[in-house]
Amino acid sequence: MAWAALAPELILTAASLVLLLVVTATRRPVPAAATSGAIAPGASARPAASGVETAWGGATAAIFAVALVALVPGLGTRAELWAGMLSLDPFAALFRGMFLAAGLLVALVSVDFLRQRAPARGEYWPLLLWGVLGMMLMASSRDLLMIYLGLELASLCSYVLAGYLKEDARSVEASVKYFLTGAVASAVLLFGISLLYGAAGSTSLDAIARAASGSVLGSAALAFLVVGFGFKVAGAPLHMWAPDAYEGAPTPITAFFSVGPKAAAFAALLRVFFAGLGELRPAWTPAFAVLAVLSMFVGNLSALPQKNIKRMMAYSAIAHAGYILVGLAVGTPMGSRAVAYYLLAYLFANLGVFAVIVAVSARGEQIEDYTGLARRQPLLAWAMVIYFLSLIGIPPTAGFFGKFYLFSAALEQGGVWLALVIVVNSVISVGYYYGVVRQMFLASEAPDVARDGTRPAEPHHPEPASGGPSPAVPAAGTPLAGERSPADERVCPAVTAVVVVTAVLTIVIGLGFEYFLGWAAAATAILP
């Protein structure tokens, strides 16, 4: 029965190995013109349509869907495997479901993007599967060694995926910076784990909970664990890697970074600090409070002047890490419930934003490239509004109830100042989200040459020279030479589906607040 509950992980492991073999056996050389990943954002180059990327992406999405279905029968199961290193409980089930859903949505938005930028390489898909597998192991672990192994599996896949566009200097730079800072964070985290092992003589969270209280080594380990996990969740002042990694990575992978590894790190934080280090709560809650406040202010204030939308969303992610850290700063069951619910709400809203960015990426990644989007692609523009309302915290979206519950958790513990910081930062965030909305709905395009590459109607045509042929005048709406045609802005059906699903879920999770909060409460009830 316990092994049946582990079916999603087993499916991902077996399927990823088979997929890797198939990808390796069937890969064919691709013309250099099609793999020149140095295509600048906004370029119109589109390699010849190939079914290869669609087939691999479809297979990967199907694997995630099957694993998600296999998770359902084991939702009520509580079992331990490998001498208690893995715990299959409601807490693990909630986060495993979130990671599988994120993997499925990222796979769907990746197909068309890779077909344009890096067709027919194939390693992308097994790496995505292994990254999700590592995150699922992190959420299920009750042992520091297993948490670290899951963290490294997810991190190594993330480093490679960040530099997947190897002909693009920005992608390579993102990968290198992410790898170097991630390696330092892993070393710091591992040192903290070694101190806890010295204090407890075991890496089991249960043994650490019994031995760490009153131990000098246990108290010293707290600082290293807070710093190590602070890097992983991109909390300020440990956030330096995030803007460059988000900007340079392939956009679907940026979407993956913004929700997957972040949620996995928070799941591990809840396990380690609530279950393993609960007795030291008075020592670690002030540290998380400082991280939360710094992250909110640094993230929101730094996002205001950004012109690149991926960089803006990177700072937004830092700010949201600050909001979520409030749940750890209060250190109560209500705080842990708020963290779980907020992550669920944040997952779909943020993935939706990046699905729109993928759809618009043919025009570019600057905020000004969104000018007139409401006229050209009203579905994308209105979906973007829903996501931003949720990220700001406007009712009836899921983000409003997430912030409201964090606000209530802070007040319950007398943290009025923390609650005020949440409100102030939510107001600040309106500034940069509104900047994108203004470009989509209110900003005007240049009258002489529209941003979609079409020529407006000519008010006057010169008379032909006497006896000569009439000069060729482009018809209204035809693309200029070297300009992008409207066909290049078509939205892949899979991306459209992701946009619709995430927008609907952002509303549904808000309207069904009590149900989903009850789900989060049942999951976190296992934490002391």
Side-chain angles (χ1 to χ4, degrees):
M1 184 65 185
W3 285 99
L6 200 62
E9 284 84 352
L10 297 176
I11 290 172
L12 289 191
T13 303
S16 60
L17 292 174
V18 171
L19 186 61
L20 181 63
L21 290 174
V22 173
V23 164
T24 305
T26 60
R27 191 167 65 175
R28 296 287 184 273
V30 178
T35 58
S36 56
I39 298 171
S44 61
R46 179 187 290 272
S50 168
V52 175
E53 214 62 57
T54 303
W56 292 340
T60 305
I63 293 167
F64 281 125
V66 170
L68 199 53
V69 172
L71 180 67
V72 175
L75 286 180
T77 301
R78 299 192 67 165
E80 293 188 348
L81 290 172
W82 302 339
M85 295 180 79
L86 280 186
S87 178
L88 303 176
D89 49 36
F91 180 85
L94 172 65
F95 282 95
R96 291 157 76 204
M98 289 168 59
F99 301 147
L100 289 170
L104 172 59
L105 295 174
V106 170
L108 290 175
V109 300
S110 297
V111 173
D112 198 49
F113 183 89
L114 292 181
R115 198 162 51 194
Q116 297 179 54
R117 302 292 300 274
R121 286 187 190 151
E123 300 90 347
Y124 180 93
W125 306 105
L127 286 169
L128 184 60
L129 289 166
W130 290 328
V132 172
L133 178 63
M135 292 187 291
M136 293 172 71
L137 292 176
M138 286 176 67
S140 306
S141 301
R142 288 186 61 84
D143 187 283
L144 288 175
L145 187 59
M146 183 58 74
I147 289 175
Y148 186 77
L149 290 175
L151 178 68
E152 286 305 293
L153 177 58
S155 297
L156 289 173
C157 293
S158 299
Y159 304 148
V160 179
L161 288 171
Y164 193 73
L165 303 177
K166 58 186 180 184
E167 296 86 359
D168 187 336
R170 292 189 313 159
S171 182
V172 175
E173 179 185 353
S175 179
V176 172
K177 286 184 177 178
Y178 191 18
F179 169 72
L180 292 177
T181 53
V184 172
S186 294
V188 171
L189 189 62
L190 194 57
F191 190 69
I193 290 174
S194 67
L195 290 180
L196 280 181
Y197 180 78
S202 170
T203 53
S204 165
L205 292 180
D206 295 330
I208 289 170
R210 292 190 295 270
S213 178
S215 165
V216 176
L217 285 178
S219 300
L222 284 179
F224 293 96
L225 294 179
V226 169
V227 171
F229 280 114
F231 267 105
K232 298 300 180 184
V233 302
L238 309 166
H239 65 286
M240 299 78 70
W241 60 272
D244 292 332
Y246 275 49
E247 184 182 1
T251 305
I253 291 305
T254 307
F256 185 60
F257 289 166
S258 69
V259 294
K262 184 185 292 290
F266 274 109
L269 271 171
L270 290 173
R271 285 271 196 196
V272 172
F273 283 87
F274 278 76
L277 300 169
E279 295 298 321
L280 299 175
R281 191 172 274 113
W284 52 258
T285 49
F288 284 123
V290 172
L291 271 181
V293 173
L294 285 176
S295 300
M296 283 187 272
F297 277 112
V298 170
N300 283 316
L301 293 176
S302 300
L304 283 173
Q306 299 303 319
K307 304 299 182 189
N308 182 292
I309 193 164
K310 288 171 69 178
R311 205 168 180 85
M312 185 197 85
M313 290 306 297
Y315 285 109
S316 166
I318 293 165
H320 281 278
Y323 297 133
I324 301 168
L325 283 167
V326 170
L328 285 113
V330 299
T332 62
M334 190 174 181
S336 61
R337 288 196 294 271
V339 170
Y341 178 84
Y342 196 94
L343 285 170
L344 187 63
Y346 179 72
L347 183 148
F348 293 107
N350 218 49
L351 273 179
V353 170
F354 279 100
V356 175
I357 295 175
V358 169
V360 183
S361 60
R363 291 175 64 86
E365 296 173 353
Q366 302 302 309
I367 293 175
E368 65 177 13
D369 294 316
Y370 288 72
T371 303
L373 185 66
R375 176 179 57 80
R376 300 190 310 275
Q377 300 283 355
L379 173 65
L380 299 183
W382 282 107
M384 198 74 137
V385 171
I386 293 173
Y387 305 139
F388 284 163
L389 290 177
S390 184
L391 293 175
I392 294 170
I394 303 294
T397 59
F400 165 75
F401 293 101
K403 284 189 180 176
F404 175 77
Y405 208 60
L406 284 170
F407 185 88
S408 302
L411 289 181
E412 183 196 48
Q413 283 302 102
V416 178
W417 65 277
L418 263 178
L420 288 175
V421 170
I422 293 176
V423 174
V424 169
N425 277 276
S426 296
V427 173
I428 295 173
S429 70
V430 174
Y432 56 87
Y433 292 131
Y434 174 72
V436 182
V437 174
R438 184 185 58 211
Q439 288 296 124
M440 293 190 298
F441 288 88
L442 303 178
S444 301
E445 296 176 302
D448 52 344
V449 178
R451 295 282 307 175
D452 64 358
T454 61
R455 180 186 293 275
E458 296 287 348
H460 171 72
H461 300 308
E463 293 296 331
S466 177
S470 300
V473 178
T478 58
L480 300 174
E483 298 278 353
R484 194 176 300 110
S485 72
D488 289 323
E489 295 197 339
R490 76 181 190 278
V491 181
C492 171
V495 176
T496 303
V498 171
V499 168
V500 172
V501 167
T502 50
V504 169
L505 285 175
T506 299
I507 298 294
V508 168
I509 294 173
L511 296 177
F513 164 68
E514 292 184 351
Y515 173 79
F516 289 100
L517 184 61
W519 195 13
T524 56
I526 65 163
L527 302 175

